[in-house]
Amino acid sequence: MLEALKYLIGAAGASGYGSKSTAEDVTENRRDLSHITAIITGATSGIGAETARVLAKRGARLVLPARSYKTAEDTKSRILAECPEAKVVVMSLDLSSQSSVRKFVREFESLQLPLNLLINNAGKFSHGHGISEDGIEMTFATNYLGHFLLTKLLVKKMMETAEETGIQGRIVNVSSSIHSWFTGDMIPYLDLITKNKNEYDATRAYALSKLANVLHTKELAHKLKQMKANVTVNCVHPGIVRTRLTRDREGVITDLVFFLASKLLKTIPQAAATTCYVATHPRLENISGKYFADCNEASPSKLGSNSFEAERLWNMSETMAASENPKLVFHL
């Protein structure tokens, strides 16, 4: 009850920020990010677009990968209209496709840019069952596996940039408190919904993908520490906000639910605050493997804290990312 009250009134936590803080609020002391190059997935709308706008306003160079090149160009135009001096690079990327992820990384590396910040923000919530070109359930392929591969392929560049510049690299995985809605064994369930569309439940599939984001953060932090990399990774719950993420579930029931829950919803600037806080605030230096909500450290679900499950998911993901037929590796 106390935590709910703090949320409703926007009471500041230990960080000095709370649920009512905005992305501009939490970056107020980071007015010059001109030394930062950031890749932000899912930056063409909603929370990602606000994250990109605010980081551009603070001077960061942005790389905006998107499935729709035109939509990304429109986003770039909006940023430049507000910040004419902004440095924005638009590139093509379909996170559900492993070949697209690999192509994007090759093209990014050809630009010979540094990489200080990777924000894995893109998310998909689809009512209908779908399978990626690699044979994986679409929500998992887009929200988690694509980001896993993208991060895996970019970590070396981030480590090199950190060593050359002395600036600690940061990876931010955008998850959701909905990750706690998934219980059970992740891998058999993914196998089940990949092979049988009649077993597909949109909400549970989304929760699974968001749990995978949390576990990815935990295991990646462990591996970065082993490598003595000057790169951190943390996970964030942005809060509940109505964005295009829910576009596949529009209708009377959805409208009613959002109307009744309107007092709990965040504005998009508020929802982008935790991402921007974790991505830029000096207080987060050397902090890695943590979960944040309302710009303060929080606790993930019991399953999301499970080191064995994090390693197990990592091993499966490594195999899927290296396999010509990823859907055959669920037995790990």
Side-chain angles (χ1 to χ4, degrees):
M1 179 63 75
L2 180 59
E3 290 302 314
L5 180 60
K6 286 181 179 179
Y7 175 87
L8 287 171
I9 66 175
S15 67
Y17 305 107
S19 62
K20 303 301 183 186
S21 300
T22 67
E24 292 204 25
D25 292 338
V26 302
T27 57
E28 184 64 29
N29 68 340
R30 302 292 284 166
R31 286 186 169 273
D32 183 12
L33 293 177
S34 58
H35 57 291
I36 296 296
T37 296
I39 292 176
I40 310 172
T41 68
T44 58
S45 65
I47 297 168
E50 177 66 3
T51 299
R53 183 190 73 82
V54 172
L55 293 186
K57 185 175 182 178
R58 302 308 186 204
R61 178 197 285 122
L62 304 183
V63 177
L64 307 183
R67 188 169 56 180
S68 168
Y69 193 88
K70 181 183 183 304
T71 304
E73 283 286 359
D74 291 343
T75 300
K76 176 180 177 178
S77 296
R78 289 194 298 272
I79 291 173
L80 292 176
E82 180 178 352
C83 311
E85 302 302 315
K87 300 177 288 293
V88 183
V89 178
V90 168
M91 300 180 69
S92 295
L93 171 63
D94 179 354
L95 279 163
S96 72
S97 163
Q98 292 190 20
S99 63
S100 178
V101 172
R102 295 180 188 279
K103 181 181 179 184
F104 165 79
V105 172
R106 289 194 301 269
E107 291 178 348
F108 172 74
E109 289 176 340
S110 72
L111 299 177
Q112 297 186 320
L113 294 173
L115 181 58
N116 310 92
L117 176 60
L118 172 61
I119 300 179
N120 292 321
N121 167 83
K124 177 182 181 66
F125 187 112
S126 180
H127 180 63
H129 179 265
I131 298 294
S132 75
E133 67 179 42
D134 301 302
I136 305 299
E137 188 279 314
M138 187 63 80
T139 303
F140 188 87
T142 304
N143 294 0
Y144 167 69
L145 193 60
H147 282 127
F148 173 88
L149 180 58
L150 179 67
T151 304
K152 173 183 170 66
L153 297 177
L154 290 173
V155 159
K156 182 181 178 182
K157 168 60 71 173
M158 296 192 73
M159 292 173 62
E160 290 172 349
T161 299
E163 185 174 351
E164 291 168 2
T165 63
I167 302 170
Q168 190 169 70
R170 296 189 186 188
I171 300 167
V172 183
N173 288 332
V174 178
S175 181
S176 168
S177 63
I178 293 174
H179 82 271
S180 64
W181 294 10
F182 186 89
T183 58
D185 197 328
M186 301 173 63
I187 295 174
Y189 180 69
L190 177 60
D191 186 21
L192 180 67
I193 61 174
T194 293
K195 293 177 178 177
N196 189 347
K197 69 178 182 180
N198 294 325
E199 298 292 337
Y200 178 75
D201 177 272
T203 301
R204 195 165 188 228
Y206 181 75
L208 170 66
S209 71
K210 295 288 104 177
L211 173 61
N213 295 147
V214 176
L215 292 172
H216 177 218
T217 301
K218 185 175 184 65
E219 185 65 14
L220 179 56
H222 174 66
K223 293 188 180 303
L224 289 170
K225 184 177 180 180
Q226 286 184 323
M227 292 187 290
K228 294 182 170 54
N230 190 21
V231 177
T232 64
V233 57
N234 290 291
C235 193
V236 304
H237 163 54
I240 302 171
V241 58
R242 188 166 201 182
T243 69
R244 290 181 60 209
L245 186 67
T246 60
R247 62 186 175 271
D248 289 341
R249 294 192 74 100
E250 292 298 319
V252 175
I253 299 299
T254 303
D255 290 340
L256 179 60
V257 168
F258 273 95
F259 173 76
L260 294 174
S262 61
K263 297 301 181 183
L264 300 176
L265 297 182
K266 287 187 174 185
T267 65
I268 288 177
Q270 290 168 348
T274 305
T275 299
C276 288
Y277 171 74
V278 174
T280 68
H281 204 283
R283 188 180 287 114
L284 273 294
E285 186 171 354
N286 298 322
I287 302 299
S288 193
K290 303 299 183 181
Y291 177 80
F292 289 83
D294 300 328
C295 302
N296 287 275
E297 188 176 335
S299 298
S301 69
K302 183 177 180 180
L303 190 53
S305 302
N306 190 309
S307 297
F308 174 79
E309 290 298 329
E311 183 178 10
R312 183 172 173 239
L313 176 65
W314 181 281
N315 290 338
M316 183 193 77
S317 304
E318 284 270 28
T319 306
M320 293 175 83
S323 173
E324 293 184 1
N325 195 345
K327 66 181 178 180
L328 296 181
V329 303
F330 291 117
H331 64 280
L332 292 177

